[in-house]
Amino acid sequence: MTDTVYDRIRAAIVSGELSAAQRLAEVALAERFGTSRTPVREALQQLESERLIERTRRGRFVRQIQPEEVFDIYDVLKVLEASAARMASERATAWNLLQLRTVHQSMVDLTEPNAPRRAELNREFHEVLAAAAHSPTTARVLLQLNSSLIVTARTTLAVEERWQAALAEHEELVDAIARRDGDAAARIAEEHMVAARDVRVQFYSDTAASLGAR
């Protein structure tokens, strides 16, 4: 039951249904999701440990992440994703490769510009990649870092050019892992994160320009 409540609250945060301005009260969430307060409390504690929510004097809220922290996260992500890709090229099983290709194909088959679904599939791809590295520590840290980016206002994959580029990068990455080319896999994974970071930088630049024009 707890996992189900956790998944539902997390999904509501990811979709923006639960915003940063809304207090995450246990009683209100229990009523909303049709459960008791105990699984809600446990779910909120888990989400807090993942830094998706934060506790203030006024209660718990979806965490608001600052641009400086976003850029810092990407700097770490590019290193860890490259390491995970290299390890995957050495350790991935046939099942891991099948999972990677399956998720990638699901992304290719998504023809409608559904940004939340794009982001969801992208997260799944990177979780499968981390699993293919067969390093629980790496997978755990990557999950935490990627979870932190969930609360940013907009996914970079909402930009059509970035979406198409990400699909091509994912395909190149899977091919490199399949042929056991660790150097290529690491390079592609790092460049993939840098490209995503650059789009994020542009988001913030556009927002700053818009505010300055008012």
Side-chain angles (χ1 to χ4, degrees):
M1 182 67 174
T2 303
D3 288 342
T4 301
V5 173
Y6 161 81
D7 289 338
R8 292 170 69 188
I9 296 177
R10 189 176 189 274
I13 292 173
V14 172
S15 67
E17 185 181 341
L18 291 174
S19 68
Q22 184 175 352
R23 189 165 72 90
L24 304 177
E26 290 180 9
V27 173
L29 288 173
E31 291 178 355
R32 179 174 186 156
F33 294 108
T35 186
S36 65
R37 292 179 61 181
T38 298
V40 169
R41 183 182 305 116
E42 293 174 354
L44 291 177
Q45 289 172 346
Q46 185 173 349
L47 290 164
E48 189 174 347
S49 72
E50 294 176 9
R51 304 193 71 200
L52 274 180
I53 66 175
E54 61 184 353
R55 189 196 302 262
T56 71
R57 287 179 296 179
R58 297 184 297 117
R60 289 191 177 99
F61 294 83
V62 175
R63 197 165 74 87
Q64 293 182 296
I65 187 168
Q66 300 303 313
E68 295 79 5
E69 185 178 356
V70 172
F71 303 147
D72 183 48
I73 289 171
Y74 274 114
D75 283 342
V76 178
L77 274 176
K78 70 180 183 181
V79 175
L80 287 182
E81 289 280 357
S83 178
R86 185 181 297 278
M87 286 189 285
S89 71
E90 300 168 354
R91 306 173 183 176
T93 64
W95 172 243
N96 295 141
L97 289 170
L98 176 59
Q99 286 182 303
L100 281 168
R101 294 195 186 282
T102 299
V103 178
H104 173 64
Q105 190 59 49
S106 295
M107 297 177 75
V108 172
D109 292 341
L110 184 65
T111 56
E112 57 188 60
N114 184 328
R117 181 58 177 159
R118 287 178 176 182
E120 180 184 0
L121 287 171
N122 184 63
R123 283 191 296 274
E124 185 176 348
F125 179 89
H126 285 277
E127 287 173 4
V128 171
L129 173 62
H134 293 275
S135 170
T137 300
T138 300
R140 184 173 64 252
V141 177
L142 281 172
L143 177 62
Q144 182 175 359
L145 290 173
N146 281 302
S147 292
S148 297
L149 291 176
I150 288 174
V151 296
T152 55
R154 180 186 178 194
T155 172
T156 60
L157 300 175
V159 178
E160 188 62 30
E161 293 81 0
R162 179 62 205 138
W163 171 248
Q164 295 300 328
L167 292 179
E169 291 157 10
H170 282 181
E171 183 173 4
E172 291 176 4
L173 180 55
V174 175
D175 288 345
I177 291 171
R179 66 175 185 267
R180 307 299 178 181
D181 189 341
D183 290 341
R187 174 183 54 78
I188 295 165
E190 181 172 347
E191 291 174 352
H192 178 66
M193 298 312 302
V194 170
R197 181 202 62 195
D198 290 347
V199 174
R200 182 72 62 188
V201 170
Q202 190 61 51
F203 283 173
Y204 287 120
S205 296
D206 292 346
T207 299
S210 175
L211 292 174
R214 292 180 182 176

